[in-house]
Amino acid sequence: MNVKKFFCILVLALVASAFGAFPVMAEKPIKIGIIQGLSGPYEIYGKAEVTGFKMGLEYFTKGTNKIAGRPVELIVEDTQLKAARAKMLLTKLYSDDKVDLAIGPTSSGVALAVLPVAQQFKKILIVEPAVADSITGANWNRYIFRTGRNSSQDAISNAVAISKPGVSIACIAQDYAFGKDGVAAYKEAAEKLGAKVVAEEYCDPKGTDFTAPIQRIIEALKDKPEPKYVFVIWAGKGSPITQLISSGLDKYGIQIATGGNVLAALKAWKPLKGMKGSIYYYYENPKNEVNDWLVKEHYKRFNEPPDFFTCGGFAAAGAVVEAIKKSGGKTDTETLIATMEGMEFMTPKGKMKFRKEDHQALQQMYAFQLDTKPDVEWAIPVCIKVLTMEETAPPIANKK
């Protein structure tokens, strides 16, 4: 074989090899890890998050389960709401399963424990739905993005609903990061609007008897002029709302106020008709095509409307799909970070935007007034005002 012929054969082989490699590269799966509390007191939240993410992935990939031609592989793990277990699982996802990025977790305490794992492996963690301000504040690192709202976004929108000069407020919350961050953010927002927070009570998250803290709240508020409120910040089962309703607050002119919650919690709120607050999501409030599809499909598949955290998982999927599409199918961390900073993406709530400085998703919230209907099991948070992402933007609080 002469040199010229050999060279031609070699070139043809290399060309064939190159063309043959493209389909293999294009089909390399995108691996996404999900860590949620799928058992324990926040089980309802975690399961809704996973359902929402899967439905969002379906919607934003038009049913193909492919992003930029690459199939998506999900690996879902149950943290059992244990910080040590969550750290182990996220380590496994990054190191053994080689996921491109991860989503979760449910609890703020668990989230704070796993943030350093993302930094250690230099892999993105999209926090959804954990709420504590410190996740995108003092404990933040550049590998953390959050589609879930934070405590300040909740606080600002809820403070707007009732706070003004002359208003007195007592707060009751769970004694861990979610509750403490929530009260701190709420107090700052409420007092900027002229209200005064006169008492703060922090309760055992697993406690069931709130008699003592409720009595202290009554003592703090009973001699204050109206209007006066007890503001409740609570996640999961065992909320003090029921005991507050039956505690005789009305004798002292004390009203209950709280942020919106899941449908199961709203069932206990029917006696609170007329209460004002703010909510992250209620399926009848957003008006857009994405939410229309989610509501219709969720009813079709589960015979019930999507819940608070179904929307959250869906939003996280929207962020993932948009980021990888805009990155041209690339999933290396630095490309994704550069793409996601300042990125806008669609969700059932409408557009969200990752703020460049702390990677917190800016988003609209819904001021509501509770109504009831005989044929609806839960109290209905009827939207009275859509609060824009600019109105509810939290302070930039990270220290790094």
Side-chain angles (χ1 to χ4, degrees), residues 240-250 256 268-272:
I241 292 279
T242 302
Q243 286 187 37
L244 283 165
I245 292 171
S246 61
S247 66
L249 296 178
D250 53 329
I256 298 172
W269 294 10
K270 294 196 83 168
L272 299 175

Side-chain angles (χ1 to χ4, degrees), residues 134-393:
S134 47
I135 292 167
T136 43
N139 295 91
W140 176 81
N141 65 69
R142 66 188 295 267
Y143 303 99
I144 305 304
F145 287 79
R146 174 159 51 183
T147 50
R149 88 283 187 209
N150 71 8
S151 291
S152 285
Q153 286 164 307
D154 267 348
I156 291 165
S157 55
N158 275 287
V160 168
I162 63 171
S163 298
K164 59 184 179 181
V167 171
S168 298
I169 305 169
C171 297
I172 184 168
Q174 288 153 307
D175 191 11
Y176 80 112
F178 166 72
K180 290 184 174 181
D181 280 8
V183 169
Y186 182 82
K187 182 177 181 180
E188 181 178 355
E191 294 192 341
K192 277 185 178 178
L193 293 168
K196 179 67 176 175
V197 174
V198 299
E200 301 171 29
E201 292 288 337
Y202 299 98
C203 307
D204 181 353
K206 298 179 180 178
T208 57
D209 183 4
F210 303 101
T211 303
I214 289 173
Q215 285 305 309
R216 289 193 290 270
I217 284 170
I218 290 173
E219 287 299 315
L221 285 174
K222 68 178 185 179
D223 295 325
K224 301 293 183 185
E226 297 184 29
K228 46 192 171 182
Y229 299 89
V230 52
F231 182 70
V232 182
I233 298 178
W234 207 266
K237 300 175 182 177
S239 163
I241 292 279
T242 302
Q243 286 187 37
L244 283 165
I245 292 171
S246 61
S247 66
L249 296 178
D250 53 329
K251 289 191 301 183
Y252 305 100
I254 302 170
Q255 302 177 60
I256 298 172
T258 189
N261 213 318
V262 295
L263 298 177
L266 294 179
K267 291 178 181 179
W269 294 10
K270 294 196 83 168
L272 299 175
K273 181 177 179 178
M275 184 186 79
K276 292 182 178 180
S278 150
I279 193 167
Y280 163 81
Y281 175 82
Y282 179 70
Y283 71 98
E284 293 182 329
N285 290 344
K287 307 298 180 186
N288 61 70
E289 291 181 359
V290 180
N291 191 60
D292 290 347
W293 183 91
L294 171 59
V295 173
K296 180 181 177 181
E297 287 298 317
H298 203 278
Y299 264 116
K300 186 188 299 183
R301 300 175 194 191
F302 305 106
N303 199 34
E304 62 182 9
D307 214 339
F308 210 79
F309 294 99
T310 320
C311 172
F314 203 109
V320 169
V321 174
E322 184 70 7
I324 297 174
K325 279 184 177 178
K326 282 184 173 293
S327 298
K330 295 179 181 178
T331 53
D332 65 280
T333 299
E334 291 305 317
T335 297
L336 288 176
I337 289 175
T339 300
M340 293 169 71
E341 288 186 338
M343 183 185 80
E344 292 187 350
F345 54 100
M346 278 301 296
T347 80
K349 296 176 65 175
K351 278 188 180 179
M352 290 188 187
K353 179 180 180 180
F354 283 129
R355 188 162 57 184
K356 184 175 181 179
E357 293 84 354
D358 58 3
H359 301 175
Q360 173 62 50
L362 304 181
Q363 56 197 277
Q364 62 187 25
M365 305 283 276
Y366 305 92
F368 69 80
Q369 184 163 10
L370 284 186
D371 195 8
T372 58
K373 293 181 180 179
D375 59 339
V376 178
E377 293 180 69
W378 50 80
I380 303 165
V382 177
C383 181
I384 55 176
K385 183 184 179 184
V386 176
L387 303 171
T388 67
M389 66 170 69
E390 291 78 18
E391 289 178 290
T392 62

Side-chain angles (χ1 to χ4, degrees), residues 30-36 38 73-79 85-105 114 117-118 121-126:
I30 296 165
K31 290 188 176 183
I32 300 171
I34 298 179
I35 53 169
Q36 294 290 357
L38 304 177
E73 179 184 332
L74 298 182
I75 303 172
V76 181
E77 300 285 4
D78 179 11
T79 68
R85 177 177 170 82
K87 289 174 73 174
M88 178 271 291
L89 289 172
L90 190 56
T91 298
K92 178 190 79 74
L93 287 169
Y94 287 144
S95 64
D96 298 343
D97 298 316
K98 307 296 183 186
V99 299
D100 295 289
L101 73 164
I103 316 293
V114 301
V117 179
F121 285 94
K122 295 181 169 56
K123 290 283 188 177
I124 288 173
L125 172 65
I126 297 179

